[in-house]
Amino acid sequence: MVEADELFKNMPARNAASWNTMISGYAENRRFVDALKYFSAMSASGQIPGEITLSSVLLACANLCSLEVGKMVHAKIVKLGIEHNIFMGTALSDMYAKSGDLDSSKRIFYQMPEKNSITWTAMVQGLAENGFAKDSILLFENMMANGISPNEHTFLAILFACSHSGLVEQAIHYFEAMQAHGIPPKQKHYTCMFDVLARADRLTEAEELLMKVPSNFEASAWSALLSACNTYNNKEIGERAAMKLHELEKDNTAGYVLLSNMYASCGKWKDAAEIRILMKGASLKKDGGYSWLQLKGQYHAFFSWHLIFSKKKNENERMV
Protein backbone atom coordinates (compact mmCIF):
# COMPACT_ATOMS: atom_id res chain seq x y z
CA MET A 1 0.00 0.00 0.00
CA VAL A 2 2.96 2.34 0.53
CA GLU A 3 4.05 2.00 -3.10
CA ALA A 4 0.43 2.24 -4.29
CA ASP A 5 -0.05 5.42 -2.29
CA GLU A 6 3.08 7.01 -3.78
CA LEU A 7 1.98 6.18 -7.32
CA PHE A 8 -1.50 7.50 -6.65
CA LYS A 9 -0.23 10.82 -5.29
CA ASN A 10 2.10 11.28 -8.30
CA MET A 11 -0.69 10.75 -10.86
CA PRO A 12 -1.26 13.90 -12.95
CA ALA A 13 -5.00 13.13 -13.00
CA ARG A 14 -7.26 10.77 -11.09
CA ASN A 15 -10.62 9.27 -11.99
CA ALA A 16 -13.19 7.20 -10.08
CA ALA A 17 -11.33 3.97 -10.89
CA SER A 18 -8.05 5.20 -9.40
CA TRP A 19 -9.80 6.44 -6.24
CA ASN A 20 -11.62 3.14 -5.93
CA THR A 21 -8.36 1.21 -6.26
CA MET A 22 -6.92 2.98 -3.23
CA ILE A 23 -10.09 2.80 -1.12
CA SER A 24 -10.74 -0.89 -1.83
CA GLY A 25 -7.03 -1.65 -1.37
CA TYR A 26 -6.99 -0.15 2.10
CA ALA A 27 -10.25 -1.90 2.99
CA GLU A 28 -8.99 -5.30 1.79
CA ASN A 29 -5.80 -4.83 3.81
CA ARG A 30 -7.92 -3.99 6.87
CA ARG A 31 -6.64 -0.43 7.05
CA PHE A 32 -10.16 0.84 7.45
CA VAL A 33 -9.34 4.28 8.84
CA ASP A 34 -7.23 5.02 5.76
CA ALA A 35 -10.04 3.78 3.52
CA LEU A 36 -12.41 6.32 5.09
CA LYS A 37 -9.81 9.09 4.80
CA TYR A 38 -9.45 8.44 1.08
CA PHE A 39 -13.22 8.33 0.63
CA SER A 40 -13.47 11.74 2.29
CA ALA A 41 -10.76 13.07 -0.01
CA MET A 42 -12.52 11.55 -3.04
CA SER A 43 -15.78 13.28 -2.08
CA ALA A 44 -13.94 16.58 -1.67
CA SER A 45 -12.43 16.19 -5.14
CA GLY A 46 -15.89 16.04 -6.73
CA GLN A 47 -15.57 12.47 -8.00
CA ILE A 48 -18.82 10.49 -7.84
CA PRO A 49 -18.31 7.11 -6.16
CA GLY A 50 -19.61 3.92 -7.74
CA GLU A 51 -20.99 0.75 -6.23
CA ILE A 52 -17.56 -0.84 -5.72
CA THR A 53 -16.25 2.23 -3.91
CA LEU A 54 -19.32 2.49 -1.70
CA SER A 55 -19.24 -1.19 -0.81
CA SER A 56 -15.59 -0.86 0.28
CA VAL A 57 -16.48 2.17 2.41
CA LEU A 58 -19.39 0.29 4.00
CA LEU A 59 -17.02 -2.59 4.76
CA ALA A 60 -14.72 -0.13 6.55
CA CYS A 61 -17.66 1.39 8.46
CA ALA A 62 -18.85 -2.07 9.51
CA ASN A 63 -15.45 -3.08 10.88
CA LEU A 64 -14.99 0.25 12.68
CA CYS A 65 -18.62 0.31 13.89
CA SER A 66 -18.70 3.82 12.46
CA LEU A 67 -22.44 4.32 12.32
CA GLU A 68 -22.20 8.06 11.68
CA VAL A 69 -20.13 7.66 8.51
CA GLY A 70 -22.24 4.64 7.51
CA LYS A 71 -25.39 6.76 7.59
CA MET A 72 -23.70 9.39 5.46
CA VAL A 73 -22.78 6.73 2.90
CA HIS A 74 -26.36 5.45 3.03
CA ALA A 75 -27.57 8.95 2.17
CA LYS A 76 -25.24 9.04 -0.86
CA ILE A 77 -26.56 5.66 -1.99
CA VAL A 78 -30.15 6.91 -1.78
CA LYS A 79 -29.20 10.07 -3.67
CA LEU A 80 -27.61 7.97 -6.42
CA GLY A 81 -30.80 5.86 -6.60
CA ILE A 82 -29.09 2.50 -6.02
CA GLU A 83 -30.45 1.66 -2.57
CA HIS A 84 -32.55 -1.19 -3.98
CA ASN A 85 -29.55 -2.77 -5.65
CA ILE A 86 -29.01 -6.20 -4.12
CA PHE A 87 -25.28 -5.50 -3.78
CA MET A 88 -25.79 -2.20 -1.95
CA GLY A 89 -28.71 -3.47 0.12
CA THR A 90 -26.66 -6.38 1.44
CA ALA A 91 -23.70 -4.14 2.29
CA LEU A 92 -25.96 -1.65 4.07
CA SER A 93 -27.76 -4.32 6.08
CA ASP A 94 -24.43 -5.81 7.12
CA MET A 95 -23.00 -2.40 8.08
CA TYR A 96 -25.97 -1.51 10.29
CA ALA A 97 -25.94 -4.94 11.97
CA LYS A 98 -22.22 -4.78 12.74
CA SER A 99 -22.65 -1.23 14.06
CA GLY A 100 -25.36 -2.37 16.48
CA ASP A 101 -28.32 -0.73 14.73
CA LEU A 102 -30.26 -3.95 14.20
CA ASP A 103 -33.59 -2.22 13.54
CA SER A 104 -32.17 -0.40 10.50
CA SER A 105 -30.45 -3.59 9.35
CA LYS A 106 -33.70 -5.57 9.47
CA ARG A 107 -35.69 -2.76 7.81
CA ILE A 108 -33.33 -2.67 4.84
CA PHE A 109 -33.28 -6.46 4.64
CA TYR A 110 -37.07 -6.85 4.53
CA GLN A 111 -37.52 -3.94 2.09
CA MET A 112 -35.11 -5.43 -0.44
CA PRO A 113 -37.08 -6.59 -3.50
CA GLU A 114 -34.53 -9.30 -4.21
CA LYS A 115 -32.23 -11.28 -1.91
CA ASN A 116 -29.54 -13.86 -2.52
CA SER A 117 -27.75 -16.28 -0.21
CA ILE A 118 -25.20 -13.60 0.76
CA THR A 119 -28.00 -11.23 1.79
CA TRP A 120 -29.66 -13.89 3.95
CA THR A 121 -26.33 -14.92 5.46
CA ALA A 122 -25.46 -11.33 6.41
CA MET A 123 -28.77 -10.98 8.27
CA VAL A 124 -28.45 -14.37 9.97
CA GLN A 125 -24.95 -13.40 11.10
CA GLY A 126 -26.07 -9.93 12.20
CA LEU A 127 -28.76 -11.37 14.46
CA ALA A 128 -26.34 -13.92 15.90
CA GLU A 129 -23.61 -11.39 16.62
CA ASN A 130 -26.07 -9.08 18.36
CA GLY A 131 -27.22 -11.83 20.71
CA PHE A 132 -30.50 -12.77 19.00
CA ALA A 133 -29.69 -16.45 18.57
CA LYS A 134 -33.28 -17.70 18.37
CA ASP A 135 -34.20 -15.03 15.79
CA SER A 136 -31.09 -15.99 13.84
CA ILE A 137 -32.15 -19.65 13.80
CA LEU A 138 -35.72 -18.76 12.79
CA LEU A 139 -34.41 -16.63 9.91
CA PHE A 140 -32.13 -19.47 8.84
CA GLU A 141 -35.10 -21.86 8.76
CA ASN A 142 -37.08 -19.25 6.80
CA MET A 143 -34.21 -19.00 4.36
CA MET A 144 -34.31 -22.75 3.80
CA ALA A 145 -38.11 -22.66 3.40
CA ASN A 146 -37.70 -20.02 0.67
CA GLY A 147 -35.49 -22.38 -1.31
CA ILE A 148 -32.25 -20.44 -0.70
CA SER A 149 -29.34 -22.84 -0.33
CA PRO A 150 -27.05 -21.98 2.61
CA ASN A 151 -23.32 -21.79 2.10
CA GLU A 152 -20.40 -22.39 4.45
CA HIS A 153 -20.65 -18.82 5.81
CA THR A 154 -24.35 -19.29 6.61
CA PHE A 155 -23.62 -22.42 8.62
CA LEU A 156 -20.75 -20.66 10.39
CA ALA A 157 -23.14 -17.89 11.43
CA ILE A 158 -25.74 -20.32 12.74
CA LEU A 159 -23.13 -22.33 14.64
CA PHE A 160 -21.91 -19.07 16.16
CA ALA A 161 -25.47 -18.32 17.28
CA CYS A 162 -25.77 -21.73 18.92
CA SER A 163 -22.34 -21.40 20.52
CA HIS A 164 -23.13 -18.15 22.32
CA SER A 165 -26.58 -19.26 23.45
CA GLY A 166 -25.80 -22.71 24.81
CA LEU A 167 -27.87 -24.48 22.15
CA VAL A 168 -25.75 -27.61 22.04
CA GLU A 169 -28.16 -30.06 20.40
CA GLN A 170 -29.15 -27.51 17.75
CA ALA A 171 -25.47 -26.91 16.97
CA ILE A 172 -24.87 -30.65 16.53
CA HIS A 173 -27.94 -30.82 14.26
CA TYR A 174 -26.72 -27.97 12.02
CA PHE A 175 -23.17 -29.31 11.96
CA GLU A 176 -24.49 -32.61 10.61
CA ALA A 177 -26.91 -30.82 8.25
CA MET A 178 -24.00 -28.88 6.75
CA GLN A 179 -22.31 -32.11 5.76
CA ALA A 180 -25.61 -33.44 4.41
CA HIS A 181 -25.70 -30.38 2.12
CA GLY A 182 -22.32 -31.40 0.71
CA ILE A 183 -20.41 -28.66 2.54
CA PRO A 184 -17.31 -30.09 4.26
CA PRO A 185 -16.60 -28.44 7.62
CA LYS A 186 -13.65 -26.09 7.68
CA GLN A 187 -11.49 -25.00 10.56
CA LYS A 188 -13.82 -22.23 11.70
CA HIS A 189 -16.80 -24.61 11.77
CA TYR A 190 -14.90 -27.05 13.93
CA THR A 191 -13.80 -24.21 16.20
CA CYS A 192 -17.44 -23.21 16.72
CA MET A 193 -18.37 -26.79 17.56
CA PHE A 194 -15.52 -27.04 20.06
CA ASP A 195 -16.71 -23.80 21.60
CA VAL A 196 -20.31 -25.11 21.83
CA LEU A 197 -19.24 -28.30 23.58
CA ALA A 198 -16.67 -26.60 25.80
CA ARG A 199 -19.10 -23.92 27.01
CA ALA A 200 -21.51 -26.71 28.00
CA ASP A 201 -18.79 -28.46 30.04
CA ARG A 202 -18.73 -31.35 27.55
CA LEU A 203 -14.96 -31.16 27.41
CA THR A 204 -14.34 -34.84 26.71
CA GLU A 205 -16.56 -34.68 23.60
CA ALA A 206 -14.80 -31.50 22.50
CA GLU A 207 -11.38 -33.12 22.84
CA GLU A 208 -12.52 -36.26 21.01
CA LEU A 209 -13.80 -34.14 18.13
CA LEU A 210 -10.53 -32.21 18.06
CA MET A 211 -8.51 -35.42 17.84
CA LYS A 212 -10.43 -36.47 14.71
CA VAL A 213 -9.33 -33.49 12.64
CA PRO A 214 -5.93 -32.97 10.93
CA SER A 215 -2.93 -32.34 13.14
CA ASN A 216 -2.30 -28.92 11.61
CA PHE A 217 -5.64 -27.66 12.89
CA GLU A 218 -5.77 -23.99 13.86
CA ALA A 219 -4.58 -23.14 17.35
CA SER A 220 -7.72 -21.15 18.22
CA ALA A 221 -9.67 -24.39 18.68
CA TRP A 222 -7.19 -25.71 21.24
CA SER A 223 -7.15 -22.29 22.85
CA ALA A 224 -10.96 -22.39 23.19
CA LEU A 225 -10.74 -25.84 24.77
CA LEU A 226 -8.03 -24.70 27.17
CA SER A 227 -10.09 -21.66 28.13
CA ALA A 228 -13.05 -23.93 28.95
CA CYS A 229 -10.78 -26.19 31.01
CA ASN A 230 -9.76 -23.12 32.95
CA THR A 231 -13.42 -22.25 33.56
CA TYR A 232 -14.37 -25.75 34.71
CA ASN A 233 -11.05 -26.53 36.46
CA ASN A 234 -10.36 -29.58 34.28
CA LYS A 235 -6.60 -29.87 34.80
CA GLU A 236 -6.13 -33.15 32.93
CA ILE A 237 -7.60 -32.06 29.59
CA GLY A 238 -6.25 -28.54 30.09
CA GLU A 239 -2.65 -29.75 30.23
CA ARG A 240 -3.08 -31.76 27.03
CA ALA A 241 -4.70 -28.78 25.29
CA ALA A 242 -1.89 -26.47 26.43
CA MET A 243 0.73 -28.91 25.13
CA LYS A 244 -0.97 -29.13 21.73
CA LEU A 245 -1.36 -25.36 21.56
CA HIS A 246 2.36 -24.96 22.27
CA GLU A 247 3.20 -27.43 19.48
CA LEU A 248 1.14 -25.47 16.96
CA GLU A 249 2.23 -21.97 17.98
CA LYS A 250 5.34 -21.85 20.13
CA ASP A 251 5.19 -18.05 20.43
CA ASN A 252 1.51 -17.96 21.37
CA THR A 253 1.23 -16.59 24.91
CA ALA A 254 -2.42 -17.66 25.28
CA GLY A 255 -1.53 -21.24 26.23
CA TYR A 256 0.89 -20.15 28.94
CA VAL A 257 -1.49 -17.59 30.42
CA LEU A 258 -4.56 -19.86 30.38
CA LEU A 259 -2.67 -22.81 31.85
CA SER A 260 -1.18 -20.61 34.57
CA ASN A 261 -4.63 -19.22 35.41
CA MET A 262 -6.07 -22.73 35.52
CA TYR A 263 -3.41 -23.87 37.99
CA ALA A 264 -4.03 -20.77 40.09
CA SER A 265 -7.80 -21.37 40.17
CA CYS A 266 -7.11 -24.93 41.37
CA GLY A 267 -4.85 -23.63 44.13
CA LYS A 268 -1.70 -25.05 42.48
CA TRP A 269 0.33 -21.89 42.98
CA LYS A 270 3.70 -23.57 42.47
CA ASP A 271 2.66 -24.91 39.05
CA ALA A 272 1.20 -21.50 38.11
CA ALA A 273 4.47 -19.78 39.05
CA GLU A 274 6.52 -22.29 37.03
CA ILE A 275 4.47 -21.58 33.91
CA ARG A 276 5.04 -17.84 34.36
CA ILE A 277 8.78 -18.47 34.77
CA LEU A 278 8.83 -20.53 31.56
CA MET A 279 6.99 -17.74 29.77
CA LYS A 280 9.47 -15.16 31.05
CA GLY A 281 12.40 -17.38 30.09
CA ALA A 282 11.09 -17.61 26.54
CA SER A 283 10.88 -13.77 26.41
CA LEU A 284 7.16 -13.93 25.72
CA LYS A 285 4.80 -11.14 26.72
CA LYS A 286 1.05 -11.03 26.54
CA ASP A 287 -0.22 -8.20 24.35
CA GLY A 288 -2.39 -5.73 26.20
CA GLY A 289 -5.99 -5.27 25.16
CA TYR A 290 -7.33 -1.95 23.95
CA SER A 291 -10.56 -0.14 23.33
CA TRP A 292 -11.20 2.67 20.89
CA LEU A 293 -13.76 5.33 20.15
CA GLN A 294 -14.58 7.80 17.42
CA LEU A 295 -14.66 11.48 18.37
CA LYS A 296 -15.16 14.27 15.84
CA GLY A 297 -14.07 12.05 12.98
CA GLN A 298 -10.90 10.86 14.74
CA TYR A 299 -10.26 7.37 16.13
CA HIS A 300 -8.57 7.12 19.52
CA ALA A 301 -7.17 3.94 21.08
CA PHE A 302 -6.80 3.29 24.81
CA PHE A 303 -4.49 0.53 26.01
CA SER A 304 -4.67 -1.36 29.28
CA TRP A 305 -0.90 -1.08 29.64
CA HIS A 306 2.10 0.22 27.71
CA LEU A 307 2.20 -1.68 24.44
CA ILE A 308 5.22 -1.31 22.18
CA PHE A 309 4.27 -1.51 18.52
CA SER A 310 6.51 -3.63 16.36
CA LYS A 311 7.44 -2.59 12.86
CA LYS A 312 5.11 -5.26 11.50
CA LYS A 313 2.05 -3.60 13.00
CA ASN A 314 0.24 -1.65 10.33
CA GLU A 315 -0.64 1.96 10.80
CA ASN A 316 -4.37 1.24 11.03
CA GLU A 317 -3.87 -0.48 14.40
CA ARG A 318 -2.57 2.76 15.92
CA MET A 319 -5.80 4.56 15.02
CA VAL A 320 -4.69 7.82 16.67
Side-chain angles (χ1 to χ4, degrees):
M1 290 307 302
V2 174
E3 287 83 355
D5 185 63
E6 290 178 358
L7 287 169
F8 178 81
K9 289 178 178 177
N10 289 326
M11 291 177 69
R14 307 181 186 97
N15 58 14
S18 53
W19 280 101
N20 173 67
T21 299
M22 292 304 299
I23 294 170
S24 61
Y26 276 122
E28 289 171 7
N29 284 281
R30 304 191 65 79
R31 293 178 61 174
F32 302 117
V33 174
D34 290 319
L36 295 186
K37 286 180 180 178
Y38 265 79
F39 176 66
S40 178
M42 178 183 182
S43 299
S45 73
Q47 287 285 350
I48 299 176
E51 293 179 12
I52 298 176
T53 305
L54 293 169
S55 66
S56 296
V57 175
L58 287 173
L59 173 65
C61 292
N63 281 274
L64 292 173
C65 299
S66 183
L67 189 58
E68 182 181 351
V69 179
K71 287 181 176 180
M72 181 190 71
V73 177
H74 189 181
K76 286 185 177 290
I77 291 172
V78 172
K79 187 175 181 180
L80 292 170
I82 55 176
E83 70 270 23
H84 296 303
N85 179 295
I86 189 171
F87 195 57
M88 287 291 95
T90 301
L92 280 169
S93 180
D94 182 59
M95 182 276 295
Y96 277 116
K98 283 185 168 60
S99 300
D101 188 351
L102 204 56
D103 289 336
S104 295
S105 177
K106 289 193 290 186
R107 184 172 61 252
I108 291 171
F109 174 80
Y110 286 112
Q111 287 178 351
M112 289 177 65
E114 182 184 357
K115 305 177 185 71
N116 59 17
S117 61
I118 300 174
T119 311
W120 283 90
T121 298
M123 194 69 251
V124 169
Q125 181 178 342
L127 289 166
E129 290 179 346
N130 282 276
F132 295 91
K134 292 183 179 179
D135 292 336
S136 178
I137 292 172
L138 285 173
L139 187 66
F140 176 79
E141 295 295 344
N142 191 18
M143 172 184 175
M144 299 281 285
N146 278 274
I148 306 296
S149 298
N151 55 37
E152 62 180 75
H153 302 291
T154 319
F155 278 108
L156 181 61
I158 209 66
L159 288 174
F160 177 88
C162 294
S163 170
H164 289 263
S165 300
L167 303 175
V168 182
E169 299 305 325
Q170 289 92 326
I172 294 173
H173 165 74
Y174 288 123
F175 188 72
E176 293 173 350
M178 177 175 64
Q179 298 174 73
H181 276 79
I183 303 174
K186 293 188 176 180
Q187 291 182 348
K188 292 186 182 296
H189 299 102
Y190 278 110
T191 300
C192 267
M193 281 305 302
F194 302 143
D195 197 43
V196 169
L197 295 169
R199 284 171 183 264
D201 196 14
R202 294 165 68 162
L203 303 179
T204 301
E205 293 177 60
E207 186 182 24
E208 289 175 353
L209 182 61
L210 255 172
M211 298 304 293
K212 293 178 182 177
V213 298
S215 58
N216 60 344
F217 195 79
E218 64 178 9
S220 60
W222 288 101
S223 180
L225 180 60
L226 179 55
S227 179
C229 290
N230 181 32
T231 301
Y232 294 105
N233 295 327
N234 192 316
K235 176 176 172 291
E236 183 180 349
I237 296 179
E239 288 177 336
R240 291 198 294 268
M243 186 179 297
K244 189 65 179 179
L245 182 60
H246 180 66
E247 289 177 6
L248 292 172
E249 294 186 359
K250 295 186 182 298
D251 295 332
N252 191 330
T253 60
Y256 289 96
V257 174
L258 287 170
L259 187 59
S260 175
N261 291 343
M262 184 182 69
Y263 282 139
S265 64
C266 295
K268 297 181 179 296
W269 302 108
K270 183 179 178 181
D271 292 335
E274 287 177 354
I275 294 297
R276 292 286 179 173
I277 292 171
L278 284 173
M279 185 175 171
K280 186 177 181 179
S283 300
L284 296 175
K285 291 184 179 181
K286 184 179 182 298
D287 285 346
Y290 68 86
S291 300
W292 57 269
L293 59 82
Q294 179 185 3
L295 181 65
K296 296 182 179 180
Q298 297 292 320
Y299 293 87
H300 304 272
F302 302 90
F303 296 89
S304 60
W305 59 296
H306 294 294
L307 178 64
I308 301 174
F309 287 93
S310 69
K311 293 181 179 179
K312 294 182 180 179
K313 296 280 185 180
N314 67 50
E315 294 297 323
N316 183 59
E317 292 185 42
R318 303 177 188 234
M319 291 199 287
V320 179

